Amino acid sequence: MKQLKAIYKAPEAHWVGDGFKVRSLFSYSNHGKLLNPFLLLDRAGPTKFKPTNSPGGVGEHPHRGFETVTIVYEGEVAHHDSTGAGGKIGPGDVQWMTAAKGILHKEYHSKNFAKNGGILDMVQLWVNLPAKDKMSKPGYQAITANMIPKVQLANDWGFMRVIAGDYNGTKGAARTFTPLDVWDFYLKIGGAITVPAVQYRYVGLIVLHGEVILNGKQVIKESELAILDKHGEEFTLEATKDSVVLYLSGEPINEPVVGYGPFVMNSREEIMQASLDYSHGRFGKMQS
């Protein structure tokens, strides 16, 4: 049985651009080190936006050395990047962008969402790449909700989705560079389940909505992050409210992590090179 290592409350929110009110639940510079290869998790929302003709968002910016994974639970987010890829994602959809050797992109509210207003509720993860893949070709996976395998839980206690990885033989929708599991659970109040886990991997649990009890004793409240110890191959969750829980676990990449802003590499020299390449326009150009 995997045991609780620690529970972390969400910090105060801050704005990223004018479109995303974010709480950073972990990063590679703090307790997120245990969740390697996951580098960072930003919880955006739920935030209510008024109707407008000027969609909020984040302007053009670069990334190198990792992947960004955006999961939308409510609202709509649009995106386009310097490879020419892009599109719109809504409730249940996932955008899996591989920055690798370098990419420019923008993220913003869709025109329809901005026009009508509403609740924006989403998560963005940064996922590290091993050194051998950091300078590979950028890529983009548009994963719509109907592409994500859904597993019904016993006793009609809800369902879970396999975004990436493997849940009891059900394979996830996303292609990944290293073994990792990204699942989300939709639990009905009173639902009690046993969740499989990989021995010698830490597990991160983020309660996006509701409240759950871990292993029959520890309460994890909404917007809290629980990290489970690496020993053990399962744990239990009981929902005291209708709940949505994000599950993260991966095979660690045992390499140095050196980050600066939008770049995450293995050495200070590589970070300096990334900054130089960006300033010299080597990340491509945004298409209007």
Side-chain angles (χ1 to χ4, degrees):
M1 185 77 72
K2 282 196 184 291
Q3 299 299 320
L4 179 69
K5 190 169 182 66
I7 293 177
Y8 300 93
K9 295 184 182 298
E12 290 296 315
H14 63 278
W15 283 94
V16 176
D18 62 358
F20 306 101
K21 192 175 183 181
V22 162
R23 288 167 289 176
S24 298
L25 269 66
F26 69 80
S27 77
Y28 56 88
S29 62
N30 58 28
H31 45 271
K33 292 176 182 178
L34 296 177
L35 296 178
N36 171 7
F38 301 100
L39 295 166
L40 173 152
L41 184 142
D42 278 346
R43 173 85 171 96
T47 306
K48 187 172 184 178
F49 289 89
K50 295 180 180 178
T52 178
N53 292 319
S54 301
V58 182
E60 179 181 317
H61 59 282
H63 291 298
R64 173 178 279 182
F66 61 98
E67 302 182 286
T68 66
V69 180
T70 304
I71 309 169
V72 173
Y73 290 92
E74 189 172 356
E76 286 184 339
V77 177
H79 156 271
H80 69 279
D81 64 43
S82 53
T83 71
K88 178 178 68 177
I89 57 174
D93 297 340
V94 176
Q95 169 192 291
W96 198 295
M97 186 186 78
T98 303
K101 70 178 181 180
I103 205 167
L104 305 175
H105 77 147
K106 293 181 179 180
E107 300 162 286
Y108 45 93
H109 300 170
S110 71
K111 288 183 179 179
N112 186 63
F113 178 78
K115 179 182 177 181
N116 294 301
I119 300 293
L120 182 62
D121 183 9
M122 56 173 268
V123 164
Q124 185 170 94
L125 282 163
W126 288 13
V127 181
N128 202 10
L129 292 172
K132 66 182 181 63
D133 296 314
K134 282 187 176 290
M135 295 299 287
S136 58
K137 184 180 178 180
Y140 180 79
Q141 299 176 68
I143 305 171
T144 55
N146 63 354
M147 296 168 61
I148 300 172
K150 186 184 289 188
V151 177
Q152 296 297 321
L153 301 174
N155 302 313
D156 194 31
W157 282 331
F159 65 92
M160 60 82 62
R161 305 191 310 156
V162 191
I163 297 168
D166 183 306
Y167 179 86
N168 287 337
T170 298
K171 306 291 185 181
R175 302 183 305 273
T176 65
F177 283 78
T178 59
L180 52 87
D181 294 312
V182 180
W183 310 333
D184 52 14
F185 290 83
Y186 295 73
L187 300 172
K188 295 180 181 179
I189 184 171
I193 60 172
T194 298
V195 183
V198 178
Q199 177 78 284
Y200 305 125
R201 280 193 203 169
Y202 292 99
V203 170
L205 298 175
I206 299 95
V207 177
L208 302 177
H209 295 283
E211 182 179 281
V212 297
I213 300 174
L214 172 69
N215 293 335
K217 35 185 187 181
Q218 290 103 357
V219 176
I220 312 171
K221 298 180 180 179
E222 187 162 309
S223 297
E224 291 185 338
L225 162 70
I227 296 181
L228 279 58
D229 194 53
K230 62 184 180 180
H231 301 290
E233 296 182 339
E234 63 182 26
F235 59 90
T236 66
L237 290 178
E238 181 182 353
T240 56
K241 303 176 182 177
D242 288 345
S243 298
V244 180
V245 181
L246 183 64
Y247 173 113
L248 305 174
S249 183
E251 192 69 28
I253 298 173
N254 294 316
E255 298 171 350
V257 175
V258 180
Y260 181 77
F263 310 131
V264 181
M265 302 299 289
N266 299 110
S267 70
R268 184 171 176 272
E269 289 73 22
E270 288 174 323
I271 292 293
M272 293 172 67
Q273 186 63 53
S275 297
L276 189 64
D277 289 346
Y278 171 58
S279 66
H280 283 76
R282 295 172 187 151
F283 282 41
K285 287 187 176 181
M286 294 288 295
Q287 306 298 316
S288 59

